[in-house]
């Protein structure tokens, strides 16, 4: 921590406790030095000279909690994030929807819903993917992002261009209704997706999932939490089910015997 004093430690803990209560943010999953670096950067930006002063700001300025979570990169997401990862995802979707039974795709964590909606739009857009028995589940630990996910309305801002995010689709207008800077996901897409609060570390695994997208959480958490998340998602897969992680992420060494690598660079694995 940047302050060595006991007061500084207490104030840092008070700040983390507040983030936990108000923002569903489980600070124990993260490295403390990582948290401190990012929080201190926000404090400098906002001219807060102590953790307590910053806590006041987080309490009084409704924009600050989101800015802080963004700076921790924790809720950041986009439609078709890392577009090249979506080519193998398309192939897997074609395969897992080709049988007669029902297909379950789990976006875990899904943040504000753009990842599971990307899956739904890709499925609707591709003639070789059957949506007849397709269920897409989006889960996240954070109740606020899930509320936004259920609304399915996104805005272009100074830092995020939603039209650009949707470029991998030939005809985004078929799936998203645009009104200026606002983009509302159409009902046909929403109908394929359900959302639910779920903690990948503390809650039970799911069952018989055909494909899990577990992208861009492992990079932020400590080794023990990472093992717990990967255990949860691997034990949720049916035999032969697929796991895709983020392109800059790695599986813990102990989990590797449980999977076969399908696409090393784009991080696609299959449960052995
Ligand atoms: C950076 S986003 C990733 C979203 C999406 N998968 C993507 O790649 O764009 C990370 C998400 O993980 C969620 N999260 C953090 N800890 C979690 C946990 N233990 N269980 C479930 N979700 C968690 C956060 O709330 C956040 O929405």
């Amino acid at each position: 921590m940047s302050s060595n004093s006991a007061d500084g430690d207490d104030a840092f803990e008070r700040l983390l406790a507040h983030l936990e209560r108000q923002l569903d943010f489980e600070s124990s999953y993260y490295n403390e030095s990582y948290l401190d670096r990012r929080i201190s950067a926000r404090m400098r930006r906002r001219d807060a000279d102590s953790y307590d002063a910053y806590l006041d700001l987080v309490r009084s300025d409704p924009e600050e909690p989101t800015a802080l979570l963004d700076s921790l990169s924790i809720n950041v997401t986009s439609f078709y994030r890392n577009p090249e990862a979506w080519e193998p995802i398309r192939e897997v979707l074609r395969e897992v929807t080709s049988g007669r039974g029902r297909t379950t795709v789990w976006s875990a964590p899904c943040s504000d819903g753009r990842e599971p909606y990307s899956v739904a739009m890709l499925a609707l857009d591709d003639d070789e993917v059957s949506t007849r028995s397709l269920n897409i589940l989006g889960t996240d630990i954070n109740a606020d992002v899930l509320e936004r996910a259920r609304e399915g309305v996104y805005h272009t801002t100074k830092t995020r261009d939603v039209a650009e995010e949707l470029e991998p689709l030939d005809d985004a207008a078929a799936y998203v209704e645009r009104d200026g800077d606002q983009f509302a996901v159409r009902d046909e897409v929403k109908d394929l997706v359900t959302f639910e609060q779920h903690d990948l570390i503390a809650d039970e695994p799911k069952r018989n999932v055909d494909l899990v997208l577990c992208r861009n959480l492992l990079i932020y958490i400590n080794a023990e939490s990472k093992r717990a998340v990967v255990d949860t998602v691997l034990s949720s897969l049916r035999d032969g089910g697929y796991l895709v992680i983020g392109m800059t992420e790695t599986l813990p060494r102990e989990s590797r015997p449980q999977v076969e690598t399908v696409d090393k660079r784009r991080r696609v694995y299959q449960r052995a």
Side-chain angles (χ1 to χ4, degrees), residues 93-255:
L93 274 177
R94 286 176 175 169
E95 186 198 315
V96 296
T97 58
S98 64
R100 282 163 180 272
R102 112 197 196 131
T103 305
T104 305
V105 176
W106 185 19
S107 164
C110 67
S111 191
D112 68 13
R114 279 181 267 192
E115 183 176 89
Y117 287 139
S118 299
V119 175
M121 293 189 288
L122 180 61
L124 288 166
D125 206 50
D126 188 312
D127 292 344
E128 291 177 53
V129 177
S130 163
T131 53
R132 213 165 8 99
S133 313
L134 175 63
N135 299 289
I136 302 165
L137 173 65
T139 66
D140 203 281
I141 197 174
N142 182 315
D144 290 339
V145 292
L146 288 169
E147 207 171 299
R148 278 189 262 150
R150 289 187 186 100
E151 282 168 16
V153 178
Y154 304 93
H155 295 89
T156 284
T157 62
K158 262 182 264 156
T159 48
R160 289 180 210 168
D161 183 338
V162 178
E164 202 174 293
E165 292 178 14
L166 292 167
E167 266 169 16
L169 290 168
D170 286 338
D171 180 18
Y175 307 111
V176 177
E177 190 179 342
R178 180 170 187 176
D179 179 5
D181 281 344
Q182 175 174 296
F183 298 75
V185 174
R186 294 189 190 275
D187 286 346
E188 184 195 12
V189 180
K190 288 171 102 174
D191 288 348
L192 288 176
V193 186
T194 48
F195 292 100
E196 181 186 300
Q197 193 167 20
H198 180 272
D199 180 336
L200 284 160
I201 292 172
D203 291 342
E204 292 295 308
K206 304 286 173 194
R207 283 177 185 278
N208 281 322
V209 177
D210 295 280
L211 163 64
V212 179
L213 305 185
C214 183
R215 304 165 70 221
N216 303 302
L217 167 62
L218 302 176
I219 29 169
Y220 299 119
I221 55 182
N222 60 40
E224 191 189 333
S225 304
K226 189 169 156 173
R227 279 197 297 276
V229 170
V230 172
D231 275 353
T232 304
V233 295
L234 285 179
S235 49
S236 299
L237 286 174
R238 64 160 169 81
D239 287 343
Y242 292 88
L243 168 65
V244 180
I245 60 174
M247 284 188 59
T248 56
E249 296 175 316
T250 52
L251 289 178
R253 194 176 300 276
E254 316 80 79
S255 313

